[in-house]
Amino acid sequence: QNWTRGMSYCLHSESHLDTGPIYVRENGKLHVVNQGAGSIQNVTPKTRPFRLFSRGFSVELCMNREDDRARRQRTDHFIFTYTKEGNLRYSAKSLFSLVLGYISDNVDHIDSLIGFPEQIAEKLFSAAEARQKFTEPVTGLRALQKFTEAYGSLVLCSLCLRNRYLVISEKLEEIKSFRELTCLDLSCCKLGDEHELLEHLTKEALSSVKRLLLKDNSLSDAGLRRMTAPVRVLKKGLENLLVLDLSCNPKITDVGIGYLLSFKKLNCLDISGTGLKDVNAVVKRIQMQIGLVHSKVPLKEFDHSNCKTEGWAEQTVLQWEQAVMEAIKPQDDLRSRTAALHFYGKTHRINEVVKCKLVEAETKASGNLQFYKEKVQNCHLPLKKEVAGSHELKNSKKRALAEQEKERTSKQKHLCLTVEDWDLLNTY
């Protein structure tokens, strides 16, 4: 009793401290100490409800907008159709389509697709393309490279960028990621000799190119020397080239045409509208060393009707073009300014790009310099040929062989590489 009274006295003296209920076990029973009366009550203990927060604490639930979008997209897991009676029917999508959609949303996180089945990869590419994943600045390039590394020409076998220099400037790295292209049309892009894409043409990734159209690109002899250096010395680069269009490049002279003689597999060549000085000498040189004949009729290979963008990424290139055109749309507001200048009689500076039609008219006036190989009949349109005798053909062949031997001997004297050639070859 004295012990319990002492404890109650201590508790009463420190009543300002809220220590909570205190339990004391005595003779095998549990007693609770009543702080107000200072005595012990032999009652069953009543536990207070445990509170983690105070009574005035409240919680407000706020939904994130991203989570709300995610919930809305959950409706994509179902396919909604209507019955004959007009009732709405929905059925769940297959697990394959759900997984395909999830992977396409995170396609930039794929490590590698090498060895992955082509049939499923094509569906994955189209699903990511529908979500416009390849138009994103950084993640789109990384995702596109995973496909081009694994599937090469299936992603894109033919690329037509005719008069699309803005797409080249905006998506240069994406264009350089394409491999195993067989046809590449860069006509009317004004690239010049120093453009990075022309340097990329000499790499092994584009050694499969068979048709290369470089019409109206402000090329000169220096650009041709750089483009043909791997073929002339290392037998690499564009060694499989069959069709080459270099028309409407007035800075190309007779010296630049000499660099093209290293393309031994050429079947068709167009050098109309170039700055040749001695046309007859160039025509004979091309005929003797490559075996190409001057065509009197425009060839079908250079009318750009067969050059199209083909492959999985066909819609991706169109998306790039649409994005570039949308970025240019604000410039249409300048029409009111031009109207005002016209009203006051002032001339407005023309900023429009000169199209290839003007250059084509100039080439028609200067003459047609297109060449084809006689053995390849599918390369050109049907031409009117005079049937020559067998003796004349044999004599012409003998003359051609004799002239080839003379040019080979003279060629060995001029094959000495300059310092610029060696510096250029060291970059490959």
Side-chain angles (χ1 to χ4, degrees), residues 68-138:
D68 191 14
R69 290 177 181 176
R71 288 188 175 185
R72 291 178 182 176
Q73 290 179 356
R74 287 178 184 175
T75 57
D76 296 339
H77 296 174
F78 301 97
I79 302 174
F80 296 92
T81 56
Y82 287 94
T83 60
K84 295 181 179 180
E85 293 79 9
N87 298 326
L88 183 63
R89 176 191 295 175
Y90 67 93
S91 57
K93 289 185 178 181
S94 62
L95 181 60
F96 175 78
S97 60
L98 296 178
V99 173
L100 192 68
Y102 177 78
I103 298 176
S104 61
D105 289 333
N106 303 276
V107 67
D108 56 304
H109 296 289
I110 296 176
D111 292 333
S112 177
L113 288 170
I114 299 176
F116 199 68
E118 299 174 358
Q119 295 81 1
I120 302 177
E122 184 179 1
K123 295 180 180 179
L124 179 61
F125 188 91
S126 60
E129 189 179 53
R131 291 166 170 80
Q132 296 187 354
K133 288 293 181 179
F134 302 114
T135 58
E136 299 176 359
V138 180

Side-chain angles (χ1 to χ4, degrees), residues 131-176:
R131 291 166 170 80
Q132 296 187 354
K133 288 293 181 179
F134 302 114
T135 58
E136 299 176 359
V138 180
T139 58
L141 173 61
R142 186 164 58 245
L144 186 62
Q145 288 175 347
K146 301 301 179 183
F147 284 94
T148 54
E149 290 174 359
Y151 305 104
S153 60
L154 293 177
V155 179
L156 210 64
C157 61
S158 178
L159 178 59
C160 181
L161 295 174
R162 179 183 174 88
N163 204 14
R164 297 180 182 178
Y165 54 93
L166 292 178
V167 179
I168 295 175
S169 61
E170 292 293 330
K171 298 293 181 181
L172 179 60
E173 296 299 326
E174 285 81 354
I175 294 171
K176 289 170 60 178

Side-chain angles (χ1 to χ4, degrees), residues 198-207 222-240 259 262-263 417 420-428:
L198 292 178
E199 183 182 355
H200 182 66
L201 290 176
T202 60
K203 301 297 177 63
E204 294 182 1
L206 293 181
S207 60
L224 294 184
R225 180 178 64 85
R226 183 174 300 178
M227 188 175 65
T228 58
V231 182
R232 287 187 287 116
V233 181
L234 302 177
K235 303 300 180 182
K236 294 181 180 180
L238 298 171
E239 57 179 351
N240 297 318
Y259 297 130
S262 58
F263 295 132
L417 297 177
E420 296 178 355
D421 287 336
W422 284 113
D423 293 338
L424 181 61
L425 292 173
N426 289 329
T427 60
Y428 295 99

Side-chain angles (χ1 to χ4, degrees), residues 57-65 67 71:
F57 183 82
S58 62
V59 179
E60 182 180 359
L61 296 177
C62 299
M63 296 297 295
N64 192 0
R65 293 182 179 179
D67 297 338
R71 288 188 175 185

